[in-house]
C-alpha cells in the first residue's frame, strides 16, 4: 500500500473532488449572486 501509484491516485482523486466541490459552491452557493448571465443582458 505504500507505492507511489497509490499516493498519486489518492492525490488526484482528492484534487478532483475539491475542484468539483468548489465549482458547485461557486455555481450554486452565496457567490453565485455575483455571477452575471450574458444571455439575459442581450435579451431582445
Amino acid at each position: 500500500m505504500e507505492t507511489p501509484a497509490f499516493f498519486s491516485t489518492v492525490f488526484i482523486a482528492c484534487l478532483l473532488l475539491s475542484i468539483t466541490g468548489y465549482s458547485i459552491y461557486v455555481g450554486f452557493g452565496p457567490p453565485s449572486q455575483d455571477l452575471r448571465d450574458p444571455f439575459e443582458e442581450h435579451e431582445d
Side-chain angles (χ1 to χ4, degrees):
M1 290 273 289
E2 295 193 21
T3 62
F6 175 73
F7 290 116
S8 298
T9 303
V10 170
F11 176 75
I12 291 173
C14 290
L15 185 67
L16 288 175
L17 283 174
S18 63
I19 290 173
T20 302
Y22 181 71
S23 299
I24 291 172
Y25 173 74
V26 169
F28 297 105
S32 68
Q33 302 302 320
D34 298 332
L35 297 176
R36 66 179 186 89
D37 186 2
F39 292 103
E40 272 189 20
E41 291 177 1
H42 301 292
E43 204 56 40
D44 288 333

